[in-house]
Each structure stands twice: as structure tokens, then as C-alpha cells.
Amino acid sequence: MDSNQQISKSTNLQINQTLHLADTALILGQRNSDWCAHGPILEQDIAITNITLDLIGQARNFYQYAATLINNAENKNETEDSLAYLRNEREFKNFLICELPNGNWAQTILRQFLFSVYQELLFEKLIACNDQQLSAIAAKSIKETKYHVKWSSEWVIRLGDGTEESKTKMEQAIDEIWMYTGEFFIANDYDIIDVTSIKSKWLEKINEIFEEATLSVPENTFMQSGGKNGIHTEYLGFLLSEMQVLQRTYPGANW
Amino acid sequence: MTNTKEHILSLLEQVSDPEIPVLSILDLGIVRDIVCTSDKDVVITITPTYSGCPAMDAIAFDIKLKLIENGFENVNIIYSLSPAWTTDWMSEEGKKKLQSYGIAPPQNMSSRIEKLLFEEESHIKCPRCHSTNTKLLSQFGSTACKALYQCSNCKEPFDYFKCH
């Protein structure tokens, strides 16, 4: 950016906020899409890929808005595609939990559950925020998220309170990814809503479902963070190289 | 100009949902506004059903094509997210068409209460034998907007266009 073309701090925060929401939805969608044709049974394969479609649709809405904000502020020509396909690892602001490998079905289910419960609470707040477009996207998306919460909650119960093996796998999944949930509630300078304020409601819901699933919420564990600021796990680079290879190799390709 | 608007509506009636060709985009309730600035220029506002519905781009393309074929020159499509689309905007005519096409139409949102875990929308009428003795197989069906049900009477599986 030219030094004489400084964009205002508030616009910059607004752009970063929108990119954080977009990246989070896109990266989780990209991960979940790996289940396509690999789900445990056909109906659940279709379920997880439909959830993926919702997430990618949400990401598109956020990216389109981010592109408008950037182009208005900086005289650039960004599009939803350039933002998704042509930014580097450090520019992505998604939560770390989204970029983790899928693991087994239990781990995928658990991540979707922990994330969707958070996303529903976040969208409830975003609907009431003073950014009209973010509010509109949230109001649209929350209807989809409610289905994701219901579906993933039922699976957490089914597996947790299932067989010895399914319970063990859920417990291993909790050990593996719980430490990535702390980041949901760490405030960042670009947050338009107070994310710390939804933590107690989130925990309440997780506790309620875990209790029914005969699972326990870990206490006082170390929490990993960094994604919101572009500091990622080693997994994101590999994910991006696969997701972006076509546009990187044949710039502007479309069909 | 009012004639033009009626003319446009009659053209849009001919644009169908690519996933469910029996429904026109007017039946779906996704056309939110039509503004003609002249006999050649028109702005159509549409709203997506689901955020990720892949039919939206195809629909926008089909609207442009249909209007340009019929003498319009500048067709501008605006996507509007707010207020969010709901199945309550689907026409009664559209619901009947869905039923005879083999897809159970959505119930009214007002008659729907928030479902508890492992509960499902009940009394969904089988589009083939019309029994309401049906059960949910999967919340997610062949497209994002549908759930998969099975009739316990005639045993046929069928799609249900879920409330949204």
C-alpha cells in the first residue's frame, strides 16, 4: 500500500474482521470437503458435505464483502477468488481448530460441534452489530448453523454414549483438539463484538451435551492460539498449497 | 411501465430452479424486487435460499438470458441477503407443484417449533401415498434445502423440502 494512500484504522479493522470470518468458514469447509465420498455411511457423507457447502457459501458472502471494503478503501481489484486463492498463510486469520487434519469421524464430529455451537452464539451477536452487511450475513447463516449444531450434538451423544470404542475415540478427540477452543474467546483488536462474553454460554452448552454423552470437559488445560493473528500450525500451508494450486499455476483460470 | 413489469414477471415465471425444474423462481420466492428504469434496462433483486446454494449463479445467468432474449439490453442482478429467505415465501402453487413432483413441500415456519435433539419434524405427508406415517432418515438430503424421509406406509424414501 502506498504511504500516501493510508486506509483508516477503522476500515482496516473492519476488513480484518471480515477476513477472519471468511477464512474461518472457508478453511473448515475445505477440511470437511475431504469427507466427500469417504463418510462412514452415505447419509452422513451427504450431511457433512452439505455442512461444507453451507460453510463455503458463508465464506463467499464474507469474502465478497471484504473485497468490496478493500476495493473501496484501496483502489484495488480484489475478488472473492483472489482473497481465497492468492493470499499466503500468514495472511489467513482462521482459527487454528479449522485447519487441523480431520482425524477420524469422532474428531471431525467433535470439531464441528465445538465450532458450530460457538458460531451460533457469535452470529446471534453479529446480527445485532452495527455493520449492516455482517449482520445480514449472520442472519442468513445462523439458520444453517442451527442445523449443524443439532446434527453434531446428536453425533457427539451417539458416539460418547455409544460403544466402548466410540467413547474411547471421542475421549481421544477431546484430548487432541480441546486446546484449540480457547482461541474462540481471545479478544482481538478487530473484533466487532465482545467474544469473551459468549464463553460462559458456550461452555454451558458443551457441558450439557457432554453430560448426555457421558463425556467430561477438560479443566485447566493449556490453550493454543495464534490463528486470528495469522500465526498458524504447520497444517495450514499444506492445506493452502492443495486448495490454491490451480489458481497459482494457471492464474485467472476459470470454467 | 407497469406493463413492462407484468411482462417481466411473466418472463421470470419461465425461469426455473435448475435443481428443481418444476419450480419457477417466482414460486421459490427468491425474486425480491424488479425495477425498470426504461424499456431496455432492468434491475432484478434476488435473494439466495441457502448461503452455499450452487443454483444461484445459474439462476442469475438464466434470468439475464431470458430477459435479453426478450429485448432487454441491460439486466442487472443484485443479490440481497436481508431479510433472509424463508420457505414461507414459497407460493402455494409452488408447494402443490413440489408435491406432485415427488418432493414433500415445507411446512409453515409458524407451525414449526424448535426441535429438541433426536426429534424430527413429524406429519410430513408422503408425496406418493399421502400417508403421514413417515420418518426422517437424514436431516440432509440430495441438496442443502432438503431432508431425506421414508414413508412407513408405502416404504418409499422421499425428499422433504425442509422449513427454513
Side-chain angles (χ1 to χ4, degrees), chain B residues 100-143:
Chain B
S100 53
Y101 187 64
I103 298 173
Q107 297 182 320
N108 284 332
M109 287 295 276
S110 55
S111 66
R112 178 177 181 260
I113 44 165
E114 199 91 342
K115 292 295 168 201
L116 299 172
L117 294 180
F118 300 104
E119 273 191 349
E120 54 198 70
E121 284 184 73
S122 54
H123 298 101
I124 307 298
K125 203 199 273 181
C126 168
R128 287 177 188 82
C129 77
H130 307 298
S131 164
T132 51
N133 183 18
T134 56
K135 61 173 197 263
L136 177 83
L137 292 182
S138 175
Q139 264 183 61
F140 297 89
S142 57
T143 61

Side-chain angles (χ1 to χ4, degrees), chain A residues 17-198:
Chain A
Q17 165 74 85
T18 309
L19 286 173
H20 160 65
L21 294 165
D23 292 341
T24 291
L26 177 70
I27 299 302
L28 184 55
Q30 172 71 11
R31 272 293 184 227
N32 280 347
S33 72
D34 281 352
W35 279 105
C36 190
H38 297 277
I41 54 169
L42 182 61
E43 285 76 9
Q44 300 312 326
D45 187 302
I46 291 170
I48 190 78
T49 43
N50 265 309
I51 289 171
T52 296
L53 193 61
D54 288 338
L55 288 169
I56 291 183
Q58 293 167 11
R60 287 189 62 187
N61 286 328
F62 286 126
Y63 280 128
Q64 286 166 13
Y65 181 47
T68 309
L69 292 172
I70 295 169
N71 297 341
N72 287 344
E74 292 187 66
N75 193 25
K76 280 189 175 174
N77 198 21
E78 296 287 2
T79 64
E80 53 178 318
D81 283 347
S82 68
L83 292 173
Y85 293 128
L86 300 175
R87 283 184 308 137
N88 294 324
E89 200 180 341
R90 290 291 293 267
E91 294 170 276
F92 273 76
K93 294 168 181 58
N94 58 281
F95 288 126
L96 300 176
I97 197 170
C98 304
E99 70 205 41
L100 298 179
N102 288 337
N104 56 24
W105 185 245
Q107 193 168 323
T108 293
I109 290 297
L110 179 70
R111 169 171 59 188
Q112 194 60 50
F113 168 66
L114 299 172
F115 175 74
S116 294
V117 172
Y118 163 81
Q119 203 189 32
E120 184 178 356
L121 294 168
L122 176 83
F123 285 162
E124 272 174 11
K125 293 271 182 185
L126 268 186
I127 288 171
C129 83
N130 56 17
D131 184 316
Q132 278 186 359
Q133 187 62 10
L134 290 184
S135 164
I137 298 171
K140 172 92 212 149
S141 307
I142 197 168
K143 294 171 138 203
E144 297 151 8
T145 305
K146 283 176 193 283
Y147 275 110
H148 308 170
V149 170
K150 183 173 189 291
W151 177 84
S152 58
S153 300
E154 289 174 0
W155 266 103
V156 166
I157 295 167
R158 197 175 282 129
L159 294 175
D161 192 19
T163 63
E164 200 177 316
E165 187 179 352
S166 70
K167 188 189 173 85
T168 305
K169 287 188 174 168
M170 280 306 284
E171 286 170 342
Q172 285 166 349
I174 294 169
D175 287 345
E176 196 73 33
I177 66 175
W178 184 262
M179 71 164 115
Y180 296 96
T181 58
E183 197 178 18
F184 291 158
F185 313 105
I186 299 177
N188 189 297
D189 61 350
Y190 58 67
D191 285 321
I192 195 169
I193 64 154
D194 177 10
V195 290
T196 60
S197 70
I198 54 180

Side-chain angles (χ1 to χ4, degrees), chain A residues 60-61 64 140, chain B residues 15-19 25 28-32 45-63 77-81 85:
Chain A
R60 287 189 62 187
N61 286 328
Q64 286 166 13
K140 172 92 212 149
Chain B
V15 177
S16 57
D17 178 337
E19 301 271 3
I25 56 171
L28 264 179
I30 61 170
V31 177
R32 305 313 299 162
T45 303
I46 58 174
T47 189
T49 51
Y50 282 69
S51 302
C53 180
M56 290 311 290
D57 292 336
I59 287 172
F61 181 78
D62 290 347
I63 292 174
I77 311 279
I78 294 177
Y79 294 91
S80 164
L81 291 174
W85 179 81

